[in-house]
Amino acid sequence: MNSTNELTGIQKLFPLLAEKNVNMRREIVAGITTFLTMAYIIAVNPSTLAATGMDAGALVTGTCIAAALGCFLMGFIANLPFALASGMGLNAFFAYTVVLKGGVSWEIALSAVFVEGIIFIFLTLFKVREAVVNSIPLNMKHAVTAGIGIFIAFIGLKGSGFIVANEATLVSMGHISPTVIFAFVGLLVIGIFDKKNIKGAILAGIVVSSFLAWGYALINPETATKLGIYLPAGVFKYESINPIAGKVDFSFLAHPNHIGNFLVVVCTLLFVDFFDTVGTLVGVCSKANMLDEEGKVPNVGRALLSDSIATTIGALLGVSTVTTYVESSTGVLAGGRTGYTAITTGVLFLLAMFFSPIFIAIPACATAPALIYVGFLMISSLHNIDIHNVTEGLPAFITVVAMPLTYSIGDGLTIGILSYVVINLLYNLFSKKEDREHVSWVMIILAILFAAKLMFM
């Protein structure tokens, strides 16, 4: 009797164990499919975060371990076929906005990610996270996704050398250098593979661009070095995670004037991750007809908890915010329906970390096609925005444009939220009661916080 009760308790804690008649072959194939479509993060994340001065080799290991952990949590706790890894857009915000533009050390930035994860755990346990997300207007959610997409694509174009700085016009088109050609070929490969429904399109683009770049380095090593292209220093190698693990730094607490900026970073990470995870869960489940009769994601609380725990531990491992990947849709469309799909993807991430020399040597011009294409996929949310309703469409437009033009996801969000609240409150002030637009208290509080940020920080 005790044995039966214990088994029931385990099954409640890990719903995956209660699954029966699972098509393991289909689940494994789905997990492999998901991994192939998101494996580019093993190259892109170290490339992005290394700009802050973090160790690239350690970042490969940290990225893989954090991704594997997130996948295992999602599989066992939520029993859903979704994979997790350091989020695109969130890693760019971490590196380019918080550290490089904000002048914050990467150790303190990791502390912000850690705090964000802790807050998310509590918000999820008390079901506040879902409530807050439901209060944010749908058009703004789509705008955030599209804005991040353009920002990521801009970073990719810059990394390839296609876009360069210009004193007169801020930016302009660069010379058609070898790096631009390699990136363009990789983008073509991704587009053709995707059009032909060939799995692993993004990874294929990175591989093709990398081999072209490495071939160029063999023929013309001096010029290649100037372009930031280097040959791999080997194939098999495990890089220690020590240079970045456990480096969270709370020394800023001794300086009260820094606490405000830190809280703004935490709030921005919270805000962006809100939409990244929930939007992905809803979108992928919708594609696979996995939503329940009320249109809700099954085990959504457990899914969000898995995401929160992975983010918290990921910060201790030395990587930016871990989130659920929209590329999980490829595995779901391949037949993945249980946590075994996510677990398969996690195992592959663990195996990948033993090939760090290859991932470290992948140049920016090879990861650029992935950034550009992911940006293209994210910008597709624009068609969901109601541009004919000015009180909804104009703030969404401001959000989308502000992110890449300020080169900051945080600033874009700040301006977008403020514009939404101000425009709608002014409209309501001069409108009849029945014509007024609903503005949630959550949005008003966020606007007040962001206004304080602009005025005093």
Side-chain angles (χ1 to χ4, degrees), residues 154 158 161-174:
F154 185 80
K158 178 174 173 284
F162 184 79
I163 289 179
V164 296
N166 186 302
E167 289 186 7
T169 61
L170 297 182
V171 294
S172 62
M173 189 174 80

Coordinates of all heavy atoms in Angstrom, one line a residue, residues 154 158 161-174:
F154 N 19.4 43.2 -36.8 CA 20.4 44.4 -36.9 C 21.8 44.0 -36.4 O 22.8 44.3 -37.0 CB 19.8 45.6 -36.1 CG 20.7 46.8 -36.3 CD1 20.6 47.6 -37.4 CD2 21.6 47.2 -35.3 CE1 21.3 48.8 -37.5 CE2 22.4 48.3 -35.4 CZ 22.2 49.1 -36.5
K158 N 25.2 43.7 -38.6 CA 26.4 44.4 -38.1 C 27.5 43.5 -38.0 O 28.7 43.7 -38.4 CB 26.1 45.1 -36.8 CG 27.3 45.8 -36.1 CD 26.8 46.6 -34.9 CE 28.0 47.2 -34.1 NZ 28.7 46.1 -33.4
G161 N 29.3 42.6 -41.2 CA 30.0 43.7 -41.9 C 29.1 44.4 -42.9 O 29.6 45.3 -43.6
F162 N 27.9 43.9 -43.1 CA 27.0 44.5 -44.1 C 26.6 45.9 -43.7 O 26.4 46.8 -44.5 CB 25.8 43.7 -44.3 CG 24.8 44.1 -45.4 CD1 25.1 43.9 -46.7 CD2 23.7 44.8 -45.1 CE1 24.3 44.3 -47.7 CE2 22.8 45.3 -46.1 CZ 23.1 45.0 -47.4
I163 N 26.4 46.1 -42.3 CA 26.1 47.5 -41.8 C 27.3 48.0 -41.0 O 27.8 47.2 -40.2 CB 24.8 47.4 -40.9 CG1 23.6 47.2 -41.8 CG2 24.7 48.7 -40.1 CD1 22.3 47.1 -41.0
V164 N 27.7 49.2 -41.2 CA 28.8 49.8 -40.5 C 28.5 51.1 -40.0 O 27.5 51.7 -40.4 CB 30.1 49.9 -41.4 CG1 30.5 48.5 -41.9 CG2 29.8 50.8 -42.6
A165 N 29.3 51.6 -39.1 CA 29.1 53.0 -38.5 C 29.4 54.0 -39.5 O 30.2 53.9 -40.4 CB 29.9 53.2 -37.3
N166 N 28.6 55.1 -39.4 CA 28.8 56.3 -40.3 C 28.6 57.6 -39.5 O 27.5 57.7 -39.0 CB 27.9 56.2 -41.5 CG 28.1 57.2 -42.6 OD1 28.1 58.4 -42.3 ND2 28.4 56.8 -43.8
E167 N 29.5 58.5 -39.5 CA 29.4 59.7 -38.7 C 28.2 60.6 -39.2 O 27.6 61.2 -38.4 CB 30.7 60.5 -38.7 CG 31.8 59.8 -37.9 CD 33.0 60.7 -37.8 OE1 33.0 61.8 -38.2 OE2 34.0 60.2 -37.3
A168 N 28.0 60.6 -40.5 CA 27.0 61.5 -41.1 C 25.6 60.9 -40.9 O 24.7 61.6 -40.6 CB 27.3 61.7 -42.5
T169 N 25.5 59.6 -41.1 CA 24.1 59.0 -41.1 C 23.9 57.9 -40.0 O 22.9 57.2 -40.0 CB 23.9 58.3 -42.4 OG1 24.8 57.3 -42.7 CG2 23.9 59.3 -43.6
L170 N 24.9 57.9 -39.1 CA 24.9 56.9 -38.0 C 25.2 55.5 -38.4 O 26.1 54.9 -37.9 CB 23.5 56.9 -37.2 CG 23.1 58.2 -36.5 CD1 21.8 58.0 -35.8 CD2 24.2 58.6 -35.5
V171 N 24.5 55.0 -39.4 CA 24.8 53.7 -40.0 C 24.7 53.8 -41.5 O 24.0 54.6 -42.1 CB 23.9 52.6 -39.5 CG1 24.1 52.3 -38.0 CG2 22.4 52.9 -39.8
S172 N 25.4 52.9 -42.2 CA 25.3 52.8 -43.7 C 25.8 51.4 -44.1 O 26.2 50.6 -43.3 CB 26.2 53.9 -44.3 OG 27.6 53.7 -44.0
M173 N 25.6 51.1 -45.4 CA 26.1 49.8 -45.9 C 27.6 49.7 -46.0 O 28.2 50.7 -46.5 CB 25.4 49.5 -47.2 CG 25.6 48.1 -47.7 SD 24.7 47.7 -49.2 CE 25.8 48.5 -50.5
G174 N 28.2 48.6 -45.6 CA 29.6 48.5 -45.7 C 30.0 47.9 -47.0 O 29.2 47.8 -47.9

